[in-house]
Amino acid sequence: MTLAYSNTLLKTSLRCTVIVSIALALANCAQTSNSRNAQTARAQALEEFTNGKTRLTCETACFIAWSSASKKIKALHDNKLWEDLSLEVIQIGYASDLTYYYLGRAAAGMGHTEAAKNYYRLGLSQTQHCDGWLSSCDGFDFPHELRAQMANVSNNKKPVKDTPPRTEPVPLVVSKAAPPPTPAKTGTGFFVNGSGFLVTNWHVVENATHISVTNFQQKKYTAQLVAKDPACDLAVLKLSARTKHWLPIQPASSVVRKGTEVLTVGFPRVDLQGSESKVTTGIVSSLTGAINDPKSFQISVPVQPGNSGGPLVTHDGAVIGVISSKLNAGRLSPTEVLPENVNYAVKSSCLVSLLRTLPGKNHFDIKKGAKVKASKKSKSKKADKEFKTPDLTAKVEKAIGWVVSTGD
């Protein structure tokens, strides 16, 4: 009985071992098959992309996925990781001038000139524009940037991959037209003290090699970037000139109430509307921004390209935010309905955190009566003064400047 029982156990154990081995083998086969399928799909996607045949077909439904991945995609672009960039854009499938621009840059960087031209053409023909949702467009200026890149690749007779600069002498070619310069980016800024420190959006001055600021007296100055916070889309510039006009900042965004009346003064579309500053008014519509972003307010103040970086001011003269972006349903298809006049401003608490990184003390003025350490001008116990809209406008427009940045 003992021997028979032992033989039975042995046979059962052998059967279990065989079954487990078969199961593991099948699992490994499935994993290998999935890996091969993924590699095949990747190779097919790249082949279609390099032939200029990729088409992005998802519009509004893919915007949230695109928004979530936008920082990663911009980083891939800035670090010239072209293959990874193209696959990320293709996987999301969001169709816009910005996404086709990224495909064109990736194709050009990989040496596929004709494919790059095709994607730039598709970008120019798109009805879904990046500034139809958020006006920053990752810091690019469309359609000018698409046309500039189109001209750039058209001037190359052969596909040339992005490589380190050659050290040997290169003969000068005088018959070939030089690529057009990167279009200037424009926005608004405002002074935060009398020493020439001026705040604007990071996307207005990103990658700039030269920045100029024109004040309310039409005097133009060169500015230097001294601090930045890309996550909050903020930048601090320094001018050599001093000023008698600046705006105090509300350091605690938590005290701002929904429905607060606000205004901004800035320089929207100077090319169409002229160089005189424009004032628009509205209210704080929501205490959070796009997709519940806690760093921003949603506002009903109408803004346009060029308002970026302008101050969002309450009627006591304090800055509670910095104009940053807009949501615009006008570029969507007729079947889609989204709210009009939805705009966003970065909260002043984000700005105060950035200003406090500057060396030295009292680099900015805070709202009088705020329960934080203040500069000398902020220690008055006098009650806050409520300005009428014309008086507040006159005060703000003396403290703002027209910001123009250019790159290589």
Side-chain angles (χ1 to χ4, degrees):
M1 289 292 294
T2 301
L3 181 60
Y5 182 68
S6 297
N7 289 336
T8 301
L9 287 177
L10 180 60
K11 290 179 181 178
T12 302
S13 176
L14 288 173
R15 289 194 192 99
C16 290
T17 302
V18 170
I19 292 171
V20 170
S21 298
I22 293 172
L24 288 173
L26 290 173
N28 288 333
C29 286
Q31 187 174 6
T32 302
S33 177
N34 289 337
S35 177
R36 287 175 180 171
N37 290 340
Q39 292 175 358
T40 301
R42 179 186 177 96
Q44 290 175 345
L46 283 174
E47 182 180 3
E48 187 176 69
F49 163 70
T50 55
N51 289 329
K53 296 180 179 180
T54 296
R55 296 295 180 271
L56 307 173
T57 57
C58 186
E59 295 188 353
T60 309
C62 291
F63 171 71
I64 293 178
W66 174 261
S67 179
S68 300
S70 61
K71 289 184 179 179
K72 176 183 178 181
I73 289 170
K74 183 67 162 56
L76 292 173
H77 170 272
D78 292 346
N79 289 285
K80 299 183 178 181
L81 299 174
W82 304 126
E83 184 173 307
D84 292 339
L85 172 64
S86 63
L87 290 171
E88 284 286 339
V89 174
I90 292 168
Q91 181 178 2
I92 297 172
Y94 179 53
S96 74
D97 50 1
L98 175 60
T99 51
Y100 275 118
Y101 169 79
Y102 278 136
L103 289 184
R105 291 286 288 130
M110 294 167 68
H112 304 288
T113 302
E114 292 304 318
K117 290 181 184 178
N118 199 27
Y119 296 130
Y120 291 142
R121 292 189 192 100
L122 288 168
L124 288 169
S125 66
Q126 266 297 309
T127 57
Q128 188 84 356
H129 298 274
C130 56
D131 64 0
W133 284 91
L134 291 177
S135 60
S136 65
C137 295
D138 283 357
F140 302 113
D141 183 16
F142 295 126
H144 306 294
E145 187 70 30
L146 282 161
R147 290 176 180 142
Q149 292 297 333
M150 174 82 78
N152 191 29
V153 296
S154 296
N155 285 333
N156 295 325
K157 293 182 178 179
K158 296 181 179 180
V160 179
K161 294 186 178 181
D162 283 354
T163 56
R166 296 173 60 186
T167 56
E168 64 271 27
V170 179
L172 177 64
V173 180
V174 296
S175 60
K176 184 182 294 185
T182 302
K185 293 184 286 186
T186 66
T188 304
F190 61 97
F191 290 101
V192 293
N193 67 7
S195 301
F197 284 86
L198 181 132
V199 170
T200 188
N201 282 144
W202 169 238
H203 74 255
V204 173
V205 297
E206 185 179 6
N207 299 324
T209 55
H210 182 269
I211 305 170
S212 67
V213 176
T214 304
N215 69 5
F216 77 104
Q217 296 173 319
Q218 298 302 304
K219 293 182 179 180
K220 187 176 181 179
Y221 300 94
T222 297
Q224 300 295 325
L225 177 67
V226 294
K228 64 180 181 179
D229 183 353
C232 286
D233 192 20
L234 294 173
V236 181
L237 310 179
K238 178 66 171 66
L239 281 65
S240 58
R242 299 183 65 84
T243 180
K244 296 180 180 179
H245 307 282
W246 65 90
L247 299 173
I249 303 169
Q250 169 56 258
S253 297
S254 58
V255 304
V256 178
R257 300 177 64 190
K258 191 184 300 184
T260 298
E261 294 182 352
V262 286
L263 63 75
T264 190
V265 186
F267 300 92
R269 293 303 303 267
V270 171
D271 56 329
L272 296 178
Q273 301 185 66
S275 59
E276 181 184 354
S277 63
K278 309 296 187 296
V279 58
T280 50
T281 63
I283 63 170
V284 175
S285 305
S286 172
L287 301 181
T288 55
I291 319 177
N292 296 321
D293 179 9
K295 301 187 297 297
S296 300
F297 292 121
Q298 179 181 320
I299 55 176
S300 66
V301 180
V303 299
Q304 303 170 55
N307 277 117
S308 294
L312 184 68
V313 185
T314 55
H315 278 266
D316 60 2
V319 174
I320 64 166
V322 183
I323 304 299
S324 60
S325 56
K326 64 181 293 185
L327 183 68
N328 186 351
R331 305 257 186 167
L332 300 178
S333 66
T335 59
E336 296 170 302
V337 179
L338 286 178
E340 296 280 358
N341 192 30
V342 177
N343 311 291
Y344 301 104
V346 179
K347 292 180 178 179
S348 57
S349 54
C350 229
L351 173 58
V352 168
S353 297
L354 176 60
L355 291 173
R356 284 177 174 158
T357 66
L358 297 174
K361 297 181 179 179
N362 299 330
H363 275 296
F364 62 98
D365 194 12
I366 66 170
K367 177 187 175 184
K368 295 178 181 180
K371 295 180 180 180
V372 294
K373 185 177 179 181
S375 64
K376 292 181 179 179
K377 289 184 68 64
S378 302
K379 293 181 178 179
S380 171
K381 296 181 180 180
K382 184 178 178 180
D384 292 334
K385 177 182 179 181
E386 290 286 335
F387 294 90
K388 294 182 179 179
T389 299
D391 297 329
L392 181 58
T393 300
K395 176 182 174 65
V396 173
E397 68 180 353
K398 290 180 180 178
I400 64 172
W402 180 37
V403 181
V404 179
S405 71
T406 54
D408 292 331

